[in-house]
Amino acid sequence: MQIRNPITLNDWRIRSYFIAILVFQLGLLVIQLLGSTNSHILVLQAILGFAFFSFIPGIIVLRIMRVHYLSTIETLLYAVGLSIAILMFTGLLMSVLYPLVGISRPLSSGSILMTINVTTSILLLLSLVRDKEPVESGYIDTEMVLSRPALLLYLVPLLTIIGTYFVNQYHSNGILMLVIAFIAVIPILVGFDRVIPEALYPLAILSISVSLLLHTSLISLYLWGYDIHYETFLANLVMDNAFWDSTSPGNVNAMLSVVLMAPIYSYITGLDLTWVFKLVYPLTFALVPLGLYHVFRRQVEAKSAFLACFFFVSFIIFYAEMASLARQEIAELFLVLLIMLMVARNIPRTTNFTLFVVFGASLAISHYGTSYIYLLALIAVWLYMTLSSIAATRGDTMLNRSRTAVGERSSGGGSLSRKDDGRTITLAHVLFFTGFTLGWYMLVAGGTSFDTIVSIIDHIGNTIFVDLLNPEATEGLDLLISTPQSPLHTVAKGLHLITLALIVVGFIAICFRRTNTNFSREYVAFSFIALLFGVAGVLVPNFSSTLNTSRLYQIVLIFLAPLCVIGGISILAAPGTYISKLRSGWLTGRTPLVLISVLFSLLFLFSTGWIYECANDQPSSIALSQDSIKKYGGDTPKNVFYGTFIPEHDVFGARWLGEYMRDGSIVYADRTRKDNVLTSYGNLARNPPFLPKTDFKPVWGAYTYLGTYNVVERSASGPEEYYDHWSIEEIYPAIYRNNKVYSNGQSGIYRNE
């Protein structure tokens, strides 16, 4: 049996398309107007609000642009990307234009809901005018989507949600351990060509991505991580004032993916900011591997594309660090959309460029670091493609002249015409993205985003020869030569080094056409630039540390992940190897992919901390090993744990302080508590003073905040760096001399009066 594909709604006949969207919008509008405190209504509003505004506006724009007959993955990702762009730029226009007509609170709840609904309705009417031609909609085979393998893949995210509930409520990690183990089996099943058919590879990737992201983001009822707290502070500021101050300095304040997108989603879903960041952003980010599968599949066969995506999501950076870095989550989605446009051959050039403008601008307003990396790569690739094209043209001209000299005539009676090389990156692309990115960063938020990159370049330039190959100045090199904590950690590091070597081998293989792949010249050029970024992170002083080594690696893996698979195949199937000498047996043709899948599964079990938890070997996963860290962890693991995980008692204390402290009062806290929980839940700006290690003398009227790490573990972090930890015993007498104004057993607040 077949049903209409709801994802390719832009391909439906115009009447069905209009009715479906209108009913959806009116139903959501009724739910929003009810404003009920009924929990079921609120859940329904969250689901429908997220689904509608994350997808429908983009589908409408695709119809306006007359974009049809795309694959399901392309339609889904383009629609989501366009929808998010519409939300961010609508919020921007509201912030700029509404005050001009006397609306002092342009970003209030009512204003946002009315404007976005009106905007969607106008776009819907415009699509009816622009595209009335009959279109044949696609269909879904229900036997496939309801097959046993599909139902099994649907079950994985559900079990993940149940597993996080048991961790939060009962401190039991059994279900999550089983989920991680099952996810590790999936690539092996793919490698052996068992259970999961090729048609379900996209579903498997989406299931794995959602499960991995939720298995960390849903841990605790509160935010955890580092950057997410400051992002929440800025989003709260916009919601409290119903206005975005574009002149307020700060890199993050220039990122609309946080300061506008988060408040807008909070209003349309009815979720508070904590759950917007813990649910909406991870679920949106889960589309990134799905988009990468589409990109990889255009260039390699299905199994290799799947394994490359699994390799990408298997690192802790994807499901832990990114889950607490909202602006980069959105930026990576737009980066993948730009890559999809680069390999697209089914979209007219004009439409392709229009989408590039939208997604490129959205990338620039989402994350400065990702934008700068893409900008440098874009310029480098365009220069390479242009120069190579000129060289090829000159070569053709010289060949024609030589042929003419010996009496040969080229077809057409003249010089050979240059063939279209399939390039999708032109000077217009480079000029637009460069101009918009630099213009935005120089004009918004006091130009701090532009000043930051200038200072980074200047700092690197001043130290590149002085600190070359100095581990203290080169974070990537320090990670490579550092000594692991245990034999198991040594094995994990060895596996990571193997993947790095495979990436290099894979790049060499595609350059010399040693593999049966279809990589475009532009993709190969981007991969080379990404490889250079990775090398720079190891060799260039202060390069990876200023950009953050893990986040840099996350970005370059977007281009390099398939090269790891290609490298493995090239080595295992190379002439002279044992596998290449096999002549029979059902496993012969698939042996390289089977071995690669086993390697990736093993690497995944190490990265998630599953193996460390089983062996009780210095586990660090906040999802799997909370109790182990608290009971058996050393000073450093506990400092890292309490630096990312925020206990409930700390949240209560921070909220009390934010509500009852006297205006203008000074607050002392250690570095981690000050920058995290007091920023997000106390609404206090990130700034000194921090608790000193000795000689603590608080000023009159100042507050001193202590969290669980301070009270229970008798330790503190900072003041210079998060990883710096020390005993608080020496300054406890000075703290106790103040009046205790709040305590919940594990968090306390004192006031000097």
Side-chain angles (χ1 to χ4, degrees):
M1 184 176 127
Q2 291 186 329
I3 60 173
R4 282 182 181 175
N5 188 346
I7 302 298
T8 57
L9 185 61
N10 60 312
D11 289 341
W12 287 22
R13 292 186 179 275
I14 194 69
R15 186 171 180 272
S16 302
Y17 155 85
F18 174 71
I19 292 175
I21 293 179
L22 187 62
V23 170
F24 198 166
Q25 185 176 17
L26 290 177
L28 178 60
L29 187 60
V30 170
I31 292 175
Q32 290 174 336
L33 292 176
L34 287 177
S36 174
T37 57
N38 185 288
S39 60
H40 298 292
I41 296 295
L42 292 177
V43 170
L44 189 61
Q45 177 184 343
I47 296 173
L48 294 182
F50 172 66
F52 185 89
F53 287 107
S54 296
F55 179 70
I56 296 300
I59 278 290
I60 295 174
V61 172
L62 287 177
R63 188 114 199 186
I64 293 173
M65 299 173 69
R66 298 174 181 172
V67 177
H68 298 293
Y69 304 117
L70 300 177
S71 68
T72 301
I73 294 178
E74 287 177 296
T75 304
L76 175 62
L77 267 82
Y78 289 151
V80 170
L82 287 169
S83 296
I84 293 175
I86 289 171
L87 293 182
M88 292 193 294
F89 283 106
T90 299
L92 174 62
L93 291 176
M94 291 172 64
S95 298
V96 174
L97 299 180
Y98 280 15
L100 299 179
V101 295
I103 301 178
S104 59
R105 293 173 59 85
L107 298 179
S108 64
S109 174
S111 178
I112 285 178
L113 290 175
M114 181 188 69
T115 302
I116 291 179
N117 276 290
V118 169
T119 300
T120 304
S121 300
I122 293 174
L123 290 174
L124 178 60
L125 294 176
L126 182 59
S127 70
L128 299 179
V129 175
R130 281 276 299 164
D131 189 15
K132 294 181 178 180
E133 297 181 4
V135 182
E136 187 65 30
S137 60
Y139 290 86
I140 294 178
D141 184 358
T142 56
E143 291 185 6
M144 179 60 70
V145 298
L146 296 179
S147 62
R148 289 181 180 179
L151 295 177
L152 191 63
L153 293 173
Y154 300 143
L155 186 62
V156 179
L158 178 60
L159 288 176
T160 301
I161 296 172
I162 296 174
T164 58
Y165 174 81
F166 271 80
V167 170
N168 293 334
Q169 296 297 320
Y170 306 109
H171 301 282
S172 173
N173 66 356
I175 296 178
L176 279 187
M177 292 288 286
L178 289 175
V179 169
I180 296 300
F182 177 73
I183 292 176
V185 173
I186 293 178
I188 299 178
L189 293 176
V190 171
F192 277 98
D193 200 14
R194 290 288 185 270
V195 182
I196 302 175
E198 181 179 325
L200 291 182
Y201 287 178
L203 176 60
I205 290 169
L206 188 60
S207 174
I208 292 171
S209 302
V210 170
S211 300
L212 289 178
L213 288 165
L214 293 184
H215 108 278
T216 52
S217 70
L218 293 185
I219 291 299
S220 170
L221 300 179
Y222 306 100
L223 298 169
W224 59 265
Y226 289 102
D227 291 60
I228 195 72
H229 295 281
Y230 188 58
E231 293 171 335
T232 302
F233 171 78
L234 293 176
N236 262 321
L237 201 61
V238 171
M239 295 184 70
D240 290 343
N241 299 328
F243 176 75
W244 171 55
D245 183 5
S246 62
T247 63
S248 179
N251 292 346
V252 182
N253 189 52
M255 302 298 101
L256 302 191
S257 57
V258 170
V259 295
L260 292 185
M261 179 178 165
I264 290 174
Y265 265 111
S266 179
Y267 289 138
I268 63 181
T269 61
L271 299 171
D272 64 28
L273 282 177
T274 292
W275 289 103
V276 168
F277 284 123
K278 290 174 75 70
L279 281 176
V280 172
Y281 279 76
L283 290 176
T284 303
F285 184 55
L287 296 176
V288 167
L290 188 63
L292 288 180
Y293 176 78
H294 172 78
V295 173
F296 300 160
R297 185 65 186 90
R298 287 292 182 94
Q299 301 171 103
V300 299
E301 56 91 22
K303 287 183 183 179
S304 296
F306 176 88
L307 291 176
C309 290
F310 185 82
F311 174 64
F312 175 78
V313 303
S314 64
F315 285 93
I316 192 172
I317 309 165
F318 171 78
Y319 49 83
E321 189 161 349
M322 288 299 104
S324 62
L325 188 60
R327 60 190 185 276
Q328 188 166 332
E329 287 182 290
I330 303 304
E332 287 194 17
L333 173 63
F334 286 113
L335 176 58
V336 170
L337 287 169
L338 292 172
I339 301 173
M340 289 176 62
L341 291 176
M342 183 179 70
V343 301
R345 295 294 182 266
N346 55 344
I347 300 178
R349 285 184 178 272
T350 302
T351 304
N352 191 301
F353 181 75
T354 302
L355 291 173
F356 176 89
V357 168
V358 176
F359 297 148
S362 300
L363 171 59
I365 64 176
S366 294
H367 187 226
Y368 42 89
T370 307
S371 298
Y372 281 132
I373 290 174
Y374 179 70
L375 175 61
L376 293 175
L378 184 70
I379 294 173
V381 170
W382 176 79
L383 286 173
Y384 163 75
M385 296 295 292
T386 301
L387 293 176
S388 62
S389 180
I390 293 174
T393 302
R394 289 180 177 177
D396 288 344
T397 302
M398 293 177 64
L399 178 60
N400 288 334
R401 289 176 179 174
S402 65
R403 287 178 174 177
T404 303
V406 295
E408 293 184 5
R409 292 186 303 171
S410 61
S411 60
S415 62
L416 293 173
S417 59
R418 183 180 56 170
K419 294 181 179 180
D420 182 11
D421 58 4
R423 291 173 57 185
T424 58
I425 297 174
T426 65
L427 180 60
H429 291 77
V430 176
L431 291 178
F432 168 77
F433 190 75
T434 302
F436 185 91
T437 301
L438 296 182
W440 180 265
Y441 293 154
M442 286 190 289
L443 297 176
V444 178
T448 53
S449 298
F450 182 76
D451 294 339
T452 297
I453 193 63
V454 172
S455 63
I456 289 175
I457 294 173
D458 180 66
H459 185 51
I460 292 175
N462 292 333
T463 60
I464 188 169
F465 295 110
V466 177
D467 290 323
L468 187 65
L469 298 180
N470 179 7
E472 295 183 0
T474 311
E475 189 174 79
L477 180 62
D478 183 51
L479 291 173
L480 284 179
I481 66 175
S482 62
T483 303
Q485 304 168 345
S486 70
L488 277 179
H489 284 80
T490 301
V491 172
K493 183 176 180 178
L495 293 175
H496 284 292
L497 293 177
I498 289 173
T499 61
L500 294 178
L502 292 180
I503 288 174
V504 175
V505 173
F507 179 76
I508 296 173
I510 64 172
C511 285
F512 288 93
R513 306 289 182 179
R514 299 298 184 185
T515 58
N516 185 23
T517 59
N518 189 33
F519 284 99
S520 67
R521 291 174 62 219
E522 286 175 320
Y523 192 91
V524 173
F526 267 107
S527 298
F528 177 66
I529 301 302
L531 197 59
L532 289 182
F533 276 123
V535 173
V538 175
L539 300 180
V540 178
N542 302 299
F543 179 77
S544 58
S545 58
T546 51
L547 294 174
N548 191 299
T549 302
S550 58
R551 299 174 191 177
L552 175 64
Y553 189 55
Q554 166 78 11
I555 295 172
V556 300
L557 268 187
I558 290 176
F559 295 98
L560 300 180
L563 302 187
C564 188
V565 180
I566 300 302
I569 294 174
S570 300
I571 292 176
L572 293 172
T577 62
Y578 174 76
I579 294 175
S580 67
K581 295 178 181 179
L582 293 175
R583 292 292 181 265
S584 62
W586 69 272
L587 191 59
T588 303
R590 68 190 73 182
T591 302
L593 287 177
V594 169
L595 295 178
I596 292 171
S597 68
V598 172
L599 170 65
F600 288 174
S601 296
L602 189 59
L603 180 66
F604 169 75
L605 292 176
F606 275 107
S607 296
T608 55
W610 189 90
I611 289 180
Y612 302 133
E613 175 66 12
C614 289
N616 196 22
D617 183 10
Q618 302 185 37
S620 58
S621 170
I622 68 167
L624 305 178
S625 308
Q626 288 185 32
D627 291 342
S628 299
I629 295 171
K630 293 176 183 177
K631 293 179 181 178
Y632 311 113
D635 293 337
T636 298
K638 286 183 179 179
N639 179 45
V640 173
F641 173 75
Y642 283 107
T644 54
F645 181 84
I646 310 299
E648 187 174 45
H649 297 81
D650 292 17
V651 174
F652 290 162
R655 283 175 171 168
W656 186 94
L657 184 62
E659 184 175 355
Y660 294 107
M661 67 175 285
R662 297 178 183 177
D663 293 340
S665 298
I666 293 175
V667 177
Y668 293 90
D670 72 345
R671 179 65 180 268
T672 302
R673 262 43 63 181
K674 192 66 173 288
D675 284 0
N676 291 358
V677 66
L678 288 178
T679 299
S680 55
Y681 291 104
N683 286 327
L684 302 179
R686 279 184 169 181
N687 52 42
F690 303 119
L691 285 177
K693 296 180 180 180
T694 59
D695 195 25
F696 179 43
K697 297 178 181 179
V699 300
W700 180 260
Y703 292 87
T704 299
Y705 172 91
L706 300 179
T708 302
Y709 184 58
N710 312 131
V711 175
V712 176
E713 301 297 335
R714 314 291 283 187
S715 300
S717 69
E720 299 301 327
E721 300 289 346
Y722 292 116
Y723 57 76
D724 182 22
H725 56 88
W726 42 278
S727 172
I728 204 173
E729 297 291 349
E730 186 172 342
I731 65 170
Y732 248 123
I735 296 174
Y736 285 155
R737 283 195 291 267
N738 300 320
N739 292 328
K740 181 184 288 187
V741 294
Y742 174 87
S743 177
N744 57 33
Q746 295 186 23
S747 177
I749 301 172
Y750 298 81
R751 189 169 190 271
N752 185 18
E753 56 185 3

